[in-house]
Amino acid sequence: MKSLWIAGVVAGFGAGVGSGVVHAQSNVTIYGVIDEGFNYTNNVNGASNYEFQSGFVQGSRFGLRGFEDLGGGTQAIFRLENGFNINNGKLGQGGRMFGRSAYVGVLDNKFGTLTLGRQYDSMVDFVGPLTANGNWAGYLFSHPFDNDNTDNSFRVNNAVKYQSPDIAGFQFGGLYGASNQAGGFANNRVTSVGASYTNGSLSFGAAYMNVDNPASAANTGGAVSGGDGSFVAERQRIFGAGVNYVYGPATFGFAYTNTNLSRPTASLYVSGSIGMPSSLKFNNFELNVKYQISPMLFLGGMLLHTDATYTAGKQSHLGWNEVALMVDYNLSKRTDVYVQGAYQRVSGDTTGAPGLDNAYIPGANDSSSNRSQSLVRIGLRHKF
């Protein structure tokens, strides 16, 4: 990290013009992550695929964060963070300059943190860190189509967010993302709440989120923008909970999430049509383990089962089973190399919606031509 201390610059200028104003201490930090790797997928529309891909374990990013000490344990804070693709230099998150985060707020040691802007929801804050994809493994370990947003496929615009201080291991928070539409208060808005508890080796978290008309074409300035939301639907409701337990060098985790979509019509993370169902429901069950062999090396694994109910006149039942493995070695405190692999198999009924019937590992270039798919990645990550 490189810190730019700017306290005293303005004060020095003030002294030069005869001003006696005393200025509070401020700090701005420049930081980032560059994550690049090479992927092999055995079946992409019937053919094998070799490609470079950016930002799997962590999204490649560049950011600024800072604070101003207001006294009495209170600070003004901000964060501006963009995502980018290192292969072509393009901005991520639909070409937004600060697509990952853009907010300003106030932090108080006694009363918590209140922020305004483009931010993460409570599923990302409280449940995501207890999953493999939201903690140490990233995109490749996401649940099908990141249906529960534990890998933060979308952020929330126009958001006001509160996060409590740590109270004897307990923390809670919530977020509201406004539609910003006259006469359309409920058209493309988000409400989410969550809580966590940590006591020694045990960590627990739970969260709920409701999104009305996500990615609505009738309100592109709403809480979840088109080109940013994981699904386009009349409503998306998500509930999830997870637990982690540390035993020696091993961390064991279990997470359950439920996603209920009303009248979904499309998804950015589903290749091909999903048809016109009246509802689409996902239940995700994840077991994960991370074993720290040494301070420089860890092994990780995940077993995932997802079942879905697709209702379009009649009910169809699908299942996704996936196993994923990862090994990561730190070359230094800021640079590591890693290898990941995943195998996915789809079972159950055929819905007639090609976007759901074939295997599609998150991060693959496209879906398989059949019900199974494998992907292997070798990557290099540098933090600054």
Side-chain angles (χ1 to χ4, degrees):
M1 297 295 182
K2 180 181 179 182
S3 296
L4 304 178
W5 293 92
I6 51 180
V9 174
V10 177
F13 176 79
V17 294
S19 171
V21 178
V22 177
H23 295 271
Q25 186 184 72
S26 297
N27 169 276
V28 176
T29 299
I30 298 173
Y31 67 94
V33 176
I34 302 173
D35 185 336
E36 173 68 327
F38 182 76
N39 295 0
Y40 165 74
T41 310
N42 73 320
N43 186 328
V44 175
N45 293 320
S48 57
N49 181 247
Y50 304 84
E51 60 179 338
F52 285 97
Q53 286 280 9
S54 173
F56 264 53
V57 174
Q58 285 185 280
S60 297
R61 68 195 69 177
F62 175 87
L64 299 167
R65 62 171 176 254
F67 71 85
E68 180 187 16
D69 189 352
L70 303 178
T74 303
Q75 298 176 349
I77 61 172
F78 78 91
R79 184 187 293 262
L80 299 172
E81 182 177 291
N82 77 26
F84 61 89
N85 187 328
I86 192 175
N87 290 306
N88 52 31
K90 291 183 178 180
L91 291 173
Q93 294 78 50
R96 294 171 175 83
M97 178 173 288
F98 298 112
R100 294 186 59 89
S101 291
Y103 63 78
V104 65
V106 177
L107 180 155
D108 186 272
N109 292 336
K110 294 181 179 179
F111 300 106
T113 304
L114 183 69
T115 47
L116 306 169
R118 178 174 167 88
Q119 303 177 75
Y120 294 102
D121 62 80
S122 299
M123 286 296 299
V124 174
D125 289 341
F126 294 103
V127 179
L130 303 172
T131 67
N133 72 87
N135 190 337
W136 45 267
Y139 192 26
L140 190 64
F141 287 51
S142 298
H143 306 158
F145 322 117
D146 195 23
N147 64 82
D148 50 15
N149 203 42
T150 54
D151 199 52
N152 56 71
S153 291
F154 65 88
R155 284 85 174 167
V156 182
N157 299 327
N158 318 321
V160 54
K161 179 176 177 178
Y162 172 75
Q163 199 92 340
S164 78
D166 187 299
I167 306 169
F170 176 74
Q171 192 172 33
F172 64 92
L175 172 146
Y176 179 78
S179 69
N180 272 14
Q181 187 179 57
F185 181 76
N187 186 18
N188 198 354
R189 65 177 177 180
V190 172
T191 304
S192 70
V193 293
S196 64
Y197 178 72
T198 300
N199 186 355
S201 298
L202 184 67
S203 299
F204 173 81
Y208 170 80
M209 177 165 62
N210 180 83
V211 190
D212 293 306
N213 296 299
S216 171
N219 183 14
T220 58
V224 180
S225 302
D228 197 36
S230 54
F231 284 90
V232 179
E234 186 178 275
R235 180 178 291 115
Q236 182 175 9
R237 287 177 175 167
I238 305 171
F239 166 78
V243 60
N244 276 186
Y245 182 74
V246 179
Y247 184 76
T251 301
F252 300 93
F254 172 76
Y256 166 75
T257 60
N258 171 275
T259 300
N260 190 335
L261 294 153
S262 176
R263 301 189 185 281
T265 58
S267 171
L268 295 178
Y269 300 93
V270 176
S271 177
S273 168
I274 64 171
M276 297 288 287
S278 59
S279 69
L280 176 59
K281 301 176 182 179
F282 295 91
N283 287 291
N284 306 286
F285 304 85
E286 177 190 323
L287 288 171
N288 63 73
V289 61
K290 177 185 176 186
Y291 190 85
Q292 197 74 44
I293 297 173
S294 73
M296 306 298 285
L297 177 68
F298 79 78
L299 297 175
M302 179 193 72
L303 291 175
L304 173 69
H305 172 73
T306 299
D307 63 67
T309 303
Y310 181 94
T311 304
K314 66 173 185 177
Q315 284 193 345
S316 300
H317 300 277
L318 299 96
W320 287 262
N321 290 293
E322 184 169 326
V323 57
L325 300 171
M326 176 178 178
V327 56
D328 181 280
Y329 181 75
N330 287 279
L331 302 173
S332 69
K333 290 183 178 180
R334 296 188 296 161
T335 304
D336 61 308
V337 293
Y338 62 88
V339 178
Q340 296 180 313
Y343 172 78
Q344 184 186 96
R345 176 78 181 175
V346 183
S347 60
D349 300 328
T350 300
T351 66
L356 298 173
D357 291 339
N358 293 332
Y360 190 9
I361 296 172
N365 184 270
D366 210 331
S367 64
S368 173
S369 62
N370 55 44
R371 293 201 142 193
S372 65
Q373 190 175 57
S374 300
L375 191 156
V376 177
R377 172 180 175 84
I378 181 168
L380 172 68
R381 173 175 52 175
H382 177 73
K383 302 174 184 179
F384 61 90

